[in-house]
Amino acid sequence: MKEKNEQIEEFIKLYALVSKDIALFKKHLKKTTLTPSEIKVLWGYHAYRKRDQKLAFTHLKSAPLNCPLIEGVRLYLLGLTCNHFGKFAFAREYLLKAQKKLDESPLTHFKLLNLTTLLFCYSNQNILNPLSSLYTQIDQISPMNEYEEVLKLLAKATYLCDVRQFHETELCICEFEKSNSEFLSSFAASFQLLRIINYFNQENFAKCYEALEEYNQKTGFRCNSNYRYLKILLDHILSDKVLYVYKYDFEDSQEQFDQLMVIKSLDENSLEEAHRYWSMLQKHNPEIYRANFDFQGNSNLFKLALQKKLAKMESDYNLKHLEQLPTIQEKLEYIFNSGSDKIKKERLISLLWGEEDSAEARTKLRRALQYFQQKNNVKLKSYQDCYQILKKAS
C-alpha cells in the first residue's frame, strides 16, 4: 500500500509539472519509478495541451492500468481530448468509465476535473437531463485551490446558461472577470463563449456580435473553430451572407462542420447532401438529431438557421408545375422567382433537363442563363458551384 501511495504521489507531481514546467517534468522523468504505461499517460496529457490529437490518442489508447486512480486519469484524458475535438459520444463513454475508477479514490481533484468535463460534454451535445445531477455532484466538492474554484464557477455558469437563467449566468461571468485570479487568461475564452450564448438566447444579436469579436481576441485555452462557426452562422442568419465552409477550418470539431454543411446544403437546394450530413450527425447523437431534420436540442444558432432553411423549403417550387412549363426560360423564371434565390448547378441541370451533371450540361446551362439574364434584366452570381440571383441589372 505504501508503494502504491508513493506511486500516486509521484504521478500527481509529474502531472502538475506537465502544465507548469515541461523542462522540469522531463528532468524528473529521468529518475521516475513510474511504469512505461503510466509515463505514456503523462505524455498523452502533454500532447493534448499541445492540441496534437493524433499523438494524444496514441499515448492514451493503451491497455488498462492496474492503479485505479491512474487508469481513471487515463480515461479522463481520453474523454477530455474527445470532447475538445468534437467527438462527444466517445467523450461521454470515456468520462463515465473514468468516473467509476476515480470514485475508488479519496482524492477529489481528478473527480472534479472529470465531472466538469462530463458536464461540458453533455452541454455541448444539448443533452440536458443529466446536468442537474452532475452540477449537484460538482457543487458538493470543496475546492482545494484557486484553479478548482474557477473551474467550479465555469461549471456553474455553464449549467445556468443551459437552463436559461440568463441573469445568473451573467453574474457568474462578471464574478470571474472581477476576480484577481491567476487563471483569468486561461479561462477567459470559455466564459466569453457563455456570454455569446447568453446574448443569443436573449435575442440580443448586436451584443452577440460584440461578444464574438471580444472572444476572438481572448488568449488561453479555447477551441479554434468556435469563432469561425459562430461568425458564419451569425452572418448568414442576420445578413444572409454566403456560407463558405472548409473542412480544414473544423479539424477540431466534426459536429460543427457537419451542422454547417447541413445548412449550406439546404441553402443550395441540395437535399441529398443535407441528408448525408444529417445522417452523420445522427450517428453521434440520435436523441438530438432525429429523422427529417428534426433538431431536439436547445435554442441556438444552428437551430435558428435550420428553422429558416426548412421554412424556406416549404415555400419552394412545385415540381409538377415545373415539369409542365414548355420552355427552359419559363422554367428558369419559375425556379428563381418561386424557390430559393440560390441553387446548386447540379440541381439546376437536373430540374431543367433531367440530366446528370457534366461538362456539356454546364455549357448548355451557361448559355441558357446568359439569355435568361438578358431577357429578364437580372444579374446572376456564380460561386461555390451555385448560382444566386442578385438584383435587377441597371
Side-chain angles (χ1 to χ4, degrees):
M1 181 61 73
K2 183 179 179 182
E3 283 184 11
K4 200 169 189 178
N5 289 339
E6 289 176 354
Q7 175 193 24
I8 290 172
E9 287 175 9
E10 185 175 0
F11 178 84
I12 292 172
K13 178 182 177 181
L14 287 170
Y15 183 94
L17 285 176
V18 170
S19 55
K20 291 180 180 177
D21 191 334
I22 194 64
L24 191 57
F25 165 74
K26 291 177 180 178
K27 182 179 178 182
H28 279 276
L29 209 55
K30 293 177 181 178
K31 51 185 179 181
T32 186
T33 58
L34 294 178
T35 67
S37 295
E38 291 164 348
I39 293 170
K40 282 181 72 176
V41 175
L42 296 169
W43 280 119
Y45 178 41
H46 180 259
Y48 162 75
R49 291 186 59 83
K50 292 292 185 182
R51 300 295 188 280
D52 190 332
Q53 178 183 179
K54 184 177 179 180
L55 186 58
F57 284 137
T58 298
H59 286 309
L60 294 170
K61 287 185 176 181
S62 59
L65 303 173
N66 293 327
C67 175
L69 181 122
I70 300 178
E71 171 62 7
V73 173
R74 183 184 74 85
L75 292 167
Y76 152 68
L77 289 172
L78 277 168
L80 180 70
T81 304
C82 286
N83 184 61
H84 180 80
F85 289 102
K87 304 176 189 295
F88 301 125
F90 291 111
R92 292 203 325 261
E93 181 181 341
Y94 286 126
L95 293 167
L96 288 169
K97 288 179 180 178
Q99 190 173 351
K100 293 178 181 178
K101 291 291 182 181
L102 295 171
D103 280 344
E104 298 179 31
S105 170
L107 299 175
T108 61
H109 179 68
F110 290 109
K111 286 182 187 178
L112 180 61
L113 293 177
N114 193 73
L115 285 169
T116 51
T117 305
L118 187 55
L119 184 143
F120 301 147
C121 182
Y122 279 122
S123 175
N124 286 336
Q125 286 197 286
N126 276 279
I127 301 175
L128 305 184
N129 289 338
L131 294 187
S132 178
S133 173
L134 274 172
Y135 178 66
T136 299
Q137 293 178 67
I138 291 167
D139 193 43
Q140 289 172 349
I141 297 176
S142 299
M144 304 297 291
N145 51 49
E146 190 178 13
Y147 179 86
E148 292 186 1
E149 288 177 2
V150 176
L151 187 59
K152 284 189 64 175
L153 185 62
L154 179 60
K156 180 180 180 181
T158 302
Y159 171 70
L160 290 171
C161 184
D162 282 326
V163 297
R164 302 178 68 81
Q165 295 188 29
F166 307 131
H167 178 66
E168 291 78 4
T169 304
E170 182 62 24
L171 288 177
C172 286
I173 298 169
C174 290
E175 180 183 341
F176 165 74
E177 291 176 339
K178 291 176 182 177
S179 71
N180 293 317
S181 171
E182 64 175 289
F183 302 104
L184 273 174
S185 61
S186 301
F187 282 91
S190 298
F191 278 97
Q192 186 67 15
L193 185 58
L194 289 177
R195 176 169 278 150
I196 295 166
I197 297 169
N198 228 26
Y199 284 142
F200 167 77
N201 285 331
Q202 296 173 82
E203 297 186 6
N204 192 337
F205 298 120
K207 285 285 188 182
C208 227
Y209 263 117
E210 289 178 20
L212 181 60
E213 292 309 315
E214 287 181 33
Y215 173 82
N216 199 35
Q217 303 303 316
K218 300 292 184 185
T219 57
F221 216 66
R222 64 189 179 100
C223 184
N224 293 329
S225 64
N226 278 338
Y227 173 78
R228 288 186 288 270
Y229 171 82
L230 294 169
K231 185 73 162 59
I232 287 169
L233 284 178
L234 271 174
D235 283 346
H236 185 67
I237 291 167
L238 301 181
S239 306
D240 201 30
K241 289 190 177 179
V242 175
L243 292 124
Y244 291 106
V245 185
Y246 303 104
K247 177 68 175 174
Y248 59 78
D249 283 333
F250 296 92
E251 292 296 332
D252 55 358
S253 184
Q254 182 67 43
E255 186 168 7
Q256 287 181 339
F257 175 75
D258 291 339
Q259 284 185 347
L260 289 172
M261 288 306 295
V262 167
I263 303 301
K264 184 175 184 293
S265 299
L266 291 175
D267 187 58
E268 295 169 353
N269 284 308
S270 183
L271 198 57
E272 186 177 341
E273 277 288 281
H275 275 296
R276 185 167 73 86
Y277 284 104
W278 188 265
S279 67
M280 293 170 72
L281 290 166
Q282 284 184 297
K283 289 178 183 177
H284 294 291
N285 196 348
E287 301 163 10
I288 300 299
Y289 302 98
R290 298 184 182 178
N292 298 317
F293 304 111
D294 180 12
F295 180 71
Q296 290 293 314
N298 258 4
S299 177
N300 57 26
L301 286 170
F302 170 69
K303 189 170 189 175
L304 181 59
L306 181 64
Q307 288 171 341
K308 290 185 71 171
K309 293 303 158 196
L310 294 177
K312 180 65 176 173
M313 280 177 62
E314 289 177 4
S315 64
D316 268 355
Y317 32 77
N318 184 304
L319 292 180
K320 288 184 179 180
H321 175 70
L322 183 65
E323 289 173 1
Q324 293 170 356
L325 294 174
T327 70
I328 294 299
Q329 289 303 313
E330 285 177 291
K331 288 182 178 181
L332 281 171
E333 186 173 352
Y334 178 73
I335 288 169
F336 283 113
N337 289 339
S338 303
S340 171
D341 64 346
K342 305 183 192 77
I343 187 166
K344 208 170 180 66
K345 295 174 184 178
E346 179 183 0
R347 173 75 166 151
L348 199 48
I349 290 166
S350 176
L351 289 171
L352 293 173
W353 295 289
E355 299 177 7
E356 291 187 3
D357 190 14
S358 66
E360 292 78 11
R362 291 210 174 195
T363 299
K364 186 163 54 173
L365 178 63
R366 281 194 298 272
R367 289 172 182 161
L369 290 173
Q370 285 172 1
Y371 182 62
F372 173 76
Q373 291 178 87
Q374 294 168 4
K375 179 185 175 185
N376 293 279
N377 196 33
V378 297
K379 287 184 178 179
L380 293 172
K381 177 183 178 182
S382 175
Y383 71 94
Q384 284 201 324
D385 219 28
C386 291
Y387 280 111
Q388 178 182 16
I389 190 164
L390 296 177
K391 60 182 179 179
K392 296 288 182 183
S394 55

